[in-house]
Amino acid sequence: MQQHEGDNDKQVYRVQGFTCTNCAGIFERNVKNLPGVTDAQVNFGAAKITVIGNTTIRELEKAGAFENLKLTPEKQRVIEKKEPFLKANWNVLLSVLLMSAGYILAFSYGEEELVSALAFGAAIIIGGYELFLKGIKNLFRLQFDMNTLMTVAIIGAASIGKWGEGAVVVVLFAISEALERYSMQKARQSIRSLMDIAPKEALIRRGSAELTVNVDDIQVGDIMIVRPGQKLAMDGVVIKGTSTINQAAITGESVPVTKTIEDEVFAGTLNEEGLLEVRVTKRVEDTTISKIIHLVEEAQAERAPSQAFVDRFAKYYTPAIMLLAIGIAVVPPLFGADWEDWIYQGLSLLVVGCPCALVISTPISIVTAIGNAAQNGVLIKGGIHLEEAGHITAVAFDKTGTLTNGFPEVTEIVTFSGHNEIELLSIAAVIEKGSQHPLASAIVRKAEQMGAHLVFSVDDFQSITGKGVKASVDGKLYFIGNPKLFDELQYDITETTRQQIITLQTQGKTVMVLGTEEEVLALIAVADAVRDSSKAVIEELHSIGIKKTIMLTGDNQATANTIGKQLGVSDIKAELLPQDKLEYIKKLRESYSGVAMVGDGVNDAPALAASTVGIAMGGAGTDTALETADLALMADDLRKLPYTIRLSKKTLLIIKQNVTFSLGIKLLALVLIVPGWLTLWLAILADMGATVIVTLNSLRLLKVKEK
């Protein structure tokens, strides 16, 4: 375990044993003070620490000995032993039994009897020995945290003879801590479940042999064999077979996707039907699922603005509570009040002033929300982006590939002189097979869909730059291209035909004309079809409080207007170059507090970077999208966008509720001190109740789903 690093090496370790954010902060400070360490950062949400410098795991574990922390290198596989809740918290259960015994004895023999005091004392020691160890160490270091507050309060209660109430404080605090640990583990479970998605082994063919190989030993270029019902262990490209793949784990898509030769597939997805052979394209640490896990864990380390506020507040709040409690315990007796009564009130304030609920209020909400999003195919790259998504008031969309499918489709075929539609489409397709133009591929696809037989003989193919192509089909010369080509060929296009061309163009379609040297045979209209979900998504965004939706496109104004009106966007900006989109986003930010840009993460990178929240479509398998955007919708599914904004708004609401409730309880306690009504019972119940309620409130974020 004596793993050494170079002076400037960065090493990441997984940490087992974190119980609270405060303990994580102490561990981080301890590691930073180790000789040879230049910097360290704890990621409490993901239970990891990043260390820069030269140290060993033994030294790191020594720095975490106060919490009995265990560390392992990030890439080393560790099977975490999950103990039953009661077994893991045996000391809490035993202290509850001893406390109960103490009250039975006190009821039978009187509260002053030694036997009941011994039972209460045993409950205090067994239930709170870890708390006392931390609290006393911190007291000597003048570090005032919740362990210090609780230790002073419990020792103080025992010193004035309140053994029973001291035991209650210990037991309820221990229960609260156990529930907090359990809840944090539940929140982290969404990330751990991602880690377990992909198999650790795969069947690999090397030469003529088929071997079961650990994923760490699989190389790029290996052939992976995936049988029906098996999960894919690696990213790759299908080289043989056809099957449906359930990609829900990666993209959040509930409907399986058909995959065939040359299609990309991802580790962690489920092969449902056919036998597939897949050529591996990435090492295990570079697979899409590995990147998602890494980015989600990094996202949890990035503190949201509200979390930063709570951390700063708690830094000054805890010492202030300590001073106030001392003041309440000491000042009134100096003016003749009863010492025991006011020491008791001061101790009660220490207990209720414990910042457990306040400190956990934000991180557990952020971790839960980011984990929920990851399981639903949305990658949120930090708490700050999660919060900002809740403040979005304007959303700008790139048109091609975002609001539309991103590839052209034949929408209409208009024939003249009684010619057969499929025959003319077949002629157009065999000519266009020789062209690389996107519109050509649309014609070929349409012909194949209609069952056309592309068996004609094609000769003398020639591209006419910017206008179209010509070729001889079965010895006859044909032209296919835009209307300008036929104007140059001095065709006498009838007024009716011209009117049909104009009508199709005003509908946002590109029109290609097929003809011979003598006549026009057909008009073929091609358009980039709008996604089925786009209109519904725009409507839902407006319904959840988005004030403005804008479509940005490089298309001509007529096409843009047609599609924009069909979708119901608030504004349409056409004929834009990438730099124009960037300038428009900057201008938009002057009028709206939160501006989101939704694009493919490649052409739209500058605009994504300039927006408040950059959202990339189709992040699965697209490294650029994962790197440039603040949020990535892993599937090409716009319906995830309203879900993400709703999740963000819900997170902001829950954080506000948690912080307000936590501080409200403290203020109420201060009011109860004046008439002397604050007891240790009430204090610990208020503190424990606040922590449990805040935790359960945060876990409600797991229930936010796509509509």
Side-chain angles (χ1 to χ4, degrees):
M1 284 289 280
Q2 292 284 323
Q3 183 168 329
H4 288 271
E5 297 92 20
D7 288 343
N8 294 310
D9 278 351
K10 181 171 90 168
Q11 293 292 325
V12 183
Y13 302 93
R14 297 202 174 274
V15 185
Q16 290 179 49
F18 277 148
T19 56
C20 64
T21 51
N22 190 64
C23 307
I26 294 168
F27 177 52
E28 182 177 283
R29 285 197 296 276
N30 290 351
V31 173
K32 283 179 178 176
N33 291 330
L34 288 175
V37 173
T38 54
D39 196 14
Q41 185 185 25
V42 164
N43 179 341
F44 177 67
K48 287 161 63 173
I49 183 168
T50 302
V51 181
I52 298 172
N54 181 12
T55 188
T56 64
I57 288 180
R58 183 175 293 171
E59 289 298 314
L60 292 169
E61 289 186 342
K62 200 180 288 184
F66 71 95
E67 187 82 330
N68 197 26
L69 301 178
K70 298 296 175 192
L71 281 81
T72 50
E74 182 185 29
K75 291 185 180 176
Q76 183 177 312
R77 296 190 192 283
V78 180
I79 299 170
E80 236 180 286
K81 291 179 182 176
K82 291 181 183 176
E83 287 187 299
F85 183 78
L86 289 177
K87 187 179 178 183
N89 297 283
W90 64 269
N91 57 324
V92 181
L93 183 63
L94 185 55
S95 62
V96 168
L97 295 172
L98 287 166
M99 181 190 72
S100 304
Y103 274 105
I104 292 167
L105 291 167
F107 182 75
S108 304
Y109 301 106
E111 285 190 33
E112 305 301 320
E113 288 299 314
L114 179 64
V115 66
S116 60
L118 285 173
F120 287 133
I124 288 170
I125 292 166
I126 291 170
Y129 70 93
E130 287 184 0
L131 166 70
F132 299 143
L133 285 175
K134 296 173 195 171
I136 290 165
K137 280 181 186 175
N138 290 346
L139 198 57
F140 283 115
R141 295 175 187 150
L142 297 179
Q143 291 177 344
F144 300 111
D145 64 2
M146 53 194 172
N147 295 305
T148 317
L149 296 183
M150 297 303 285
T151 299
V152 171
I154 293 158
I155 292 172
S159 67
I160 60 172
K162 301 286 184 180
W163 288 95
E165 292 197 41
V168 170
V169 170
V170 166
V171 167
L172 291 180
F173 182 74
I175 291 170
S176 175
E177 288 276 277
L179 288 172
E180 189 179 319
R181 278 197 301 273
Y182 174 77
S183 302
M184 202 65 208
Q185 285 167 359
K186 184 92 173 164
R188 287 188 186 126
Q189 203 64 46
S190 55
I191 308 307
R192 287 187 183 142
S193 64
L194 287 175
M195 292 178 188
D196 297 333
I197 282 170
K200 304 298 180 279
E201 294 179 330
L203 185 63
I204 298 294
R205 180 187 296 128
R206 288 178 179 162
S208 58
E210 292 184 2
L211 315 162
T212 300
V213 180
N214 189 288
V215 288
D216 292 324
D217 300 322
I218 296 174
Q219 302 297 321
V220 173
D222 278 344
I223 305 302
M224 177 172 66
I225 299 166
V226 190
R227 296 192 173 100
Q230 288 185 336
K231 283 187 175 181
L232 281 75
M234 306 290 284
D235 283 12
V237 173
V238 177
I239 60 168
K240 187 178 179 182
T242 300
S243 183
T244 54
I245 301 282
N246 187 327
Q247 300 189 142
I250 303 291
T251 66
E253 294 170 285
S254 56
V255 179
V257 180
T258 301
K259 298 282 184 176
T260 187
I261 294 168
E262 295 302 315
D263 284 341
E264 191 175 16
V265 289
F266 308 112
T269 57
L270 177 67
N271 179 23
E272 293 197 336
E273 293 176 351
L275 179 73
L276 292 178
E277 291 191 13
V278 176
R279 186 177 68 253
V280 175
T281 54
K282 293 177 183 175
R283 293 268 301 147
V284 66
E285 61 269 19
D286 298 323
T287 60
T288 302
I289 189 69
S290 297
K291 284 183 178 174
I292 291 171
I293 293 164
H294 176 73
L295 288 168
V296 168
E297 289 187 333
E298 291 302 304
Q300 293 176 345
E302 186 183 336
R303 292 181 178 182
S306 56
Q307 188 174 344
F309 160 75
V310 167
D311 290 347
R312 283 197 307 273
F313 183 84
K315 184 179 178 183
Y316 300 105
Y317 164 84
T318 311
I321 286 287
M322 193 88 178
L323 290 171
L324 186 60
I326 292 168
I328 286 169
V330 173
V331 174
L334 293 177
F335 293 94
D338 183 72
W339 276 97
E340 186 174 315
D341 287 348
W342 284 98
I343 287 173
Y344 183 81
Q345 290 295 312
L347 295 174
S348 299
L349 179 63
L350 281 183
V351 172
V352 84
C354 180
C356 299
L358 182 65
V359 169
I360 202 172
S361 63
T362 302
I364 195 167
S365 301
I366 297 289
V367 169
T368 305
I370 288 175
N372 179 1
Q375 287 188 319
N376 282 281
V378 180
L379 182 60
I380 301 173
K381 290 170 63 176
I384 187 168
H385 307 307
L386 175 67
E387 285 198 13
E388 283 175 342
H391 297 302
I392 290 170
T393 52
V395 182
F397 296 90
D398 172 52
K399 179 183 77 73
T400 307
T402 301
L403 293 171
T404 65
N405 290 322
F407 53 87
E409 295 175 350
V410 173
T411 58
E412 274 106 357
I413 303 165
V414 181
T415 61
F416 302 106
S417 305
H419 289 286
N420 180 276
E421 184 180 282
I422 292 183
E423 184 187 348
L424 292 180
L425 188 62
S426 302
I427 292 168
V430 293
I431 296 171
E432 291 288 21
K433 265 195 165 182
S435 172
Q436 299 300 312
H437 198 280
L439 299 180
S441 59
I443 291 172
V444 174
R445 272 199 309 274
K446 184 67 173 178
E448 288 171 348
Q449 286 168 10
M450 292 180 70
H453 299 289
L454 310 182
V455 292
F456 299 99
S457 169
V458 180
D459 300 300
D460 303 324
F461 177 88
Q462 186 181 338
S463 177
I464 306 165
T465 307
K467 297 183 182 71
V469 295
K470 67 176 181 177
S472 292
V473 178
D474 287 350
K476 191 169 185 177
L477 184 62
Y478 289 90
F479 295 86
I480 182 167
N482 59 37
K484 286 181 183 176
L485 171 63
F486 288 83
D487 286 336
E488 288 182 12
L489 293 170
Q490 297 183 340
Y491 266 74
D492 183 19
I493 298 177
T494 66
E495 190 58 38
T496 306
T497 304
R498 286 195 184 278
Q499 197 56 51
Q500 285 177 301
I501 292 170
I502 292 166
T503 302
L504 290 168
Q505 287 175 333
T506 54
Q507 292 172 2
K509 295 165 184 173
T510 301
V511 179
M512 289 186 286
V513 183
L514 173 68
T516 63
E517 291 178 291
E518 295 86 26
E519 61 177 332
V520 172
L521 300 174
L523 304 180
I524 302 172
V526 178
D528 182 4
V530 170
R531 289 177 187 269
D532 295 337
S533 59
S534 294
K535 191 175 192 302
V537 167
I538 300 293
E539 287 173 356
E540 191 177 347
L541 288 174
H542 288 152
S543 73
I544 61 173
I546 301 301
K547 295 174 184 174
K548 193 177 182 75
T549 51
I550 311 99
M551 185 181 79
L552 308 180
T553 178
D555 276 351
N556 64 69
Q557 193 70 52
T559 302
N561 286 341
T562 303
I563 293 173
K565 284 173 186 172
Q566 184 182 337
L567 292 172
V569 291
S570 316
D571 208 351
I572 300 156
K573 296 293 174 185
E575 299 174 18
L576 300 178
L577 297 170
Q579 58 265 35
D580 298 327
K581 291 181 184 179
L582 172 61
E583 290 305 317
Y584 182 77
I585 293 294
K586 286 180 179 176
K587 189 177 175 184
L588 202 59
R589 287 193 67 175
E590 293 172 9
S591 307
Y592 294 89
S593 55
V595 176
M597 171 68 193
V598 188
D600 60 12
V602 183
N603 304 331
D604 303 309
L608 287 171
S611 59
T612 315
V613 183
I615 302 169
M617 286 282 287
T622 312
D623 292 345
T624 316
L626 294 177
E627 287 161 15
T628 57
D630 303 317
L631 273 70
L633 311 181
M634 300 307 288
D636 275 336
D637 187 356
L638 263 184
R639 287 171 297 184
K640 302 289 182 187
L641 181 56
Y643 151 77
T644 306
I645 293 173
R646 281 191 293 105
L647 176 67
S648 175
K649 286 178 183 286
K650 185 83 169 177
T651 305
L652 288 173
L653 178 64
I654 281 178
I655 288 171
K656 283 175 187 171
Q657 289 171 348
N658 287 351
V659 172
T660 304
F661 182 72
S662 304
L663 292 176
I665 288 287
K666 314 301 177 192
L667 290 171
L668 182 62
L670 288 173
V671 172
L672 291 176
I673 285 174
V674 178
W677 294 348
L678 183 65
T679 66
L680 279 173
W681 283 82
L682 272 177
I684 190 61
L685 278 171
D687 178 65
M688 177 191 173
T691 304
V692 171
I693 289 168
V694 158
T695 302
L696 293 175
N697 195 34
S698 299
L699 291 178
R700 286 197 301 133
L701 288 165
L702 289 171
K703 294 185 176 180
V704 180
K705 301 294 178 190
E706 184 188 332
K707 283 185 179 177

